[in-house]
Amino acid sequence: MMKTISIEQLKEKRRQGTIEMDVPFLLNGEMTVVKKKIVNGEMETYELGKPVGEMMTNATTRKEFLQKVVLDVEMGKEEVPTLYGPIYDRIEDSNFPREFEAKWAQYGNVIFFEHAEGEEVKFGSLSAEQGPIAQIKGYSAGFEYTKEIQMFNQTFNLELLNRAFGEAYNAMLNHMHLFPIFKNNYKTANKTGPVYVDSDRKELQDKTGSHYLLSLRETIKQGLTATRTAKRPATILLANSADQYDLEEAMASFTINATPHKAVSGVDTIIYYDGWETNVGKKSYAYDGVPAGKVFAVRPKRGFKELIKQDMQINATMGDASRLVESQVIGDFWRGVFAAVDENVQEITLPGK
């Protein structure tokens, strides 16, 4: 059965049942954890017993403050779930170098032959993807809790900042991993144009007299066939949610003019990504989503690596008295993305209505 993945669907799934996990964070150079628990979509939060400034005065209260921050950040992450997991292999190692040559993304080739007496055994070999060099880069963000928040007991503002931190983190991860797929300038061999057919599946020169649903279906099928012919069979489609209803209808089984059409096979997952945007101060920031009218057929895992040298670590420090800042919270992470898109992606342009 084909699975669909979107931010709203993942959020809805997290609203069902109970989820418990330990979330690590750094305190005075030592790794510790706080328990995250979600019951039917409601996440347990942590209430502060003292003003923010006082929470920074000793190790015990500072730990309590960081627990509050970490859980609020996790609540923000729940609002922007990550979508790229089915495409990428996740590899985490604190010893990663800054750069990875393309040949690093290797895979094994082995085949068994019938053995004849006295004949030498055939040995397997390693092959490498031909993608770009991957680099580990550092990313950071921070926010400040001011005396104003403390004086007027504006704890809700503190929580809003924390949650925004978590939202921005997951939004950045989606952007890092999905943007290389749909913003690449693909070669002709990696492109499938719109295919127009009539209600009898007869191919046409343009959309005049075409049947939209059958044309959409035929376009997707030809794009998938191209991935198989090129020996990079795609099993995942990356698309914009504006095309969701048409895509899923075209790929399902249906009957037209008494002719049954079986469901399109070979695709196990469709990921819908529409980008993300926010305002920081007076400036707007936006991450592009998959363009409407385009679908990207992806062979997952082998040519896609999520490289984690250090996942996000959150640290809280004393603030700046000269600016009436009670505390500063800073998060940083060190990650890289290996995406061999030319070897693993087919760009499909959908037909117009």
Side-chain angles (χ1 to χ4, degrees):
M1 182 178 178
M2 187 173 63
K3 179 172 63 175
T4 59
I5 298 176
S6 69
I7 285 178
E8 290 306 316
Q9 286 174 322
L10 290 178
K11 287 168 64 175
E12 180 59 34
K13 186 176 180 180
R14 301 284 281 188
R15 297 187 187 110
Q16 303 169 12
T18 299
I19 300 169
E20 290 189 53
M21 60 183 294
D22 289 332
V23 182
F25 65 94
L26 203 63
L27 177 64
N28 296 327
E30 294 186 7
M31 195 65 69
T32 185
V33 298
V34 61
K35 186 168 290 295
K36 172 182 175 180
K37 186 174 182 179
I38 304 173
V39 180
N40 295 326
E42 295 294 325
M43 182 171 165
E44 294 182 358
T45 57
Y46 195 99
E47 300 298 329
L48 296 179
K50 296 180 180 181
V52 174
E54 294 181 26
M55 301 296 287
M56 294 291 101
T57 56
N58 63 70
T60 301
T61 54
R62 187 163 177 245
K63 179 178 180 179
E64 293 176 6
F65 175 71
L66 267 176
Q67 287 175 328
K68 162 71 173 173
V69 172
V70 169
L71 286 179
D72 285 347
V73 169
E74 288 296 313
M75 194 172 293
K77 290 182 183 179
E78 293 293 324
E79 291 301 309
V80 186
T82 55
L83 302 171
Y84 57 86
I87 297 176
Y88 281 81
D89 266 333
R90 177 186 171 100
I91 307 174
E92 187 168 0
D93 190 338
S94 61
N95 295 314
F96 275 153
R98 182 175 291 275
E99 291 188 348
F100 292 83
E101 295 290 341
K103 64 182 180 181
W104 165 82
Q106 295 181 326
Y107 54 93
N109 297 298
V110 174
I111 187 168
F112 283 87
F113 293 93
E114 181 180 356
H115 181 70
E117 185 177 357
E119 187 177 78
E120 183 179 359
V121 173
K122 303 296 190 297
F123 292 92
S125 64
L126 288 173
S127 296
E129 295 292 318
Q130 300 301 311
I133 292 175
Q135 292 185 328
I136 299 292
K137 296 181 180 180
Y139 301 83
S140 62
F143 45 84
E144 298 175 328
Y145 299 132
T146 64
K147 188 171 184 178
E148 184 177 8
I149 290 177
Q150 175 182 320
M151 287 186 66
F152 296 100
N153 195 29
Q154 295 176 322
T155 307
F156 61 92
N157 280 342
L158 181 151
E159 292 178 353
L160 287 175
L161 284 169
N162 293 339
R163 293 184 190 184
F165 202 79
E167 291 179 20
Y169 174 64
N170 274 6
M172 181 62 173
L173 294 186
N174 280 332
H175 174 70
M176 286 173 60
H177 293 86
L178 297 178
F179 185 83
I181 297 173
F182 62 82
K183 278 298 183 180
N184 185 55
N185 184 20
Y186 288 98
K187 299 175 290 187
T188 302
N190 292 78
K191 293 183 178 182
T192 298
V195 180
Y196 294 99
V197 298
D198 61 18
S199 57
D200 296 321
R201 292 183 62 188
K202 179 183 177 181
E203 192 162 338
L204 307 173
Q205 294 298 314
D206 54 41
K207 68 178 180 180
T208 304
S210 66
H211 189 287
Y212 173 67
L213 200 61
L214 286 177
S215 297
L216 180 56
R217 177 188 180 90
E218 195 62 31
T219 300
I220 295 168
K221 287 171 62 178
Q222 289 201 17
L224 293 174
T225 299
T227 70
R228 285 151 177 75
T229 302
K231 295 182 172 55
R232 42 181 170 83
T235 58
I236 294 177
L237 298 182
L238 180 62
N240 188 292
S241 65
D243 297 313
Q244 179 172 358
Y245 299 122
D246 289 344
L247 279 174
E248 292 175 15
E249 186 177 6
M251 296 180 68
S253 59
F254 54 83
T255 300
I256 294 178
N257 295 339
T259 302
H261 299 270
K262 296 189 299 182
V264 176
S265 61
V267 174
D268 56 41
T269 305
I270 303 180
I271 299 173
Y272 296 103
Y273 177 60
D274 300 340
W276 184 77
E277 59 184 29
T278 190
N279 293 316
V280 181
K282 296 181 179 180
K283 192 168 182 179
S284 296
Y285 297 87
Y287 299 144
D288 291 340
V290 178
K294 295 272 190 181
V295 170
F296 296 84
V298 182
R299 176 176 64 171
K301 302 298 183 180
R302 193 166 81 180
F304 296 95
K305 310 296 179 185
E306 176 187 16
L307 308 172
I308 307 167
K309 186 175 180 69
Q310 175 202 294
D311 213 347
M312 185 164 68
Q313 292 182 357
I314 297 174
N315 197 9
T317 64
M318 294 295 291
D320 183 351
S322 67
R323 296 187 295 117
L324 299 183
V325 173
E326 296 293 318
S327 175
Q328 293 180 326
V329 173
I330 296 171
D332 70 295
F333 60 94
W334 297 78
R335 284 172 166 264
V337 173
F338 179 87
V341 291
D342 285 324
E343 291 75 26
N344 296 285
V345 179
Q346 188 78 12
E347 178 189 279
I348 303 173
T349 302
L350 304 180
K353 291 187 177 181

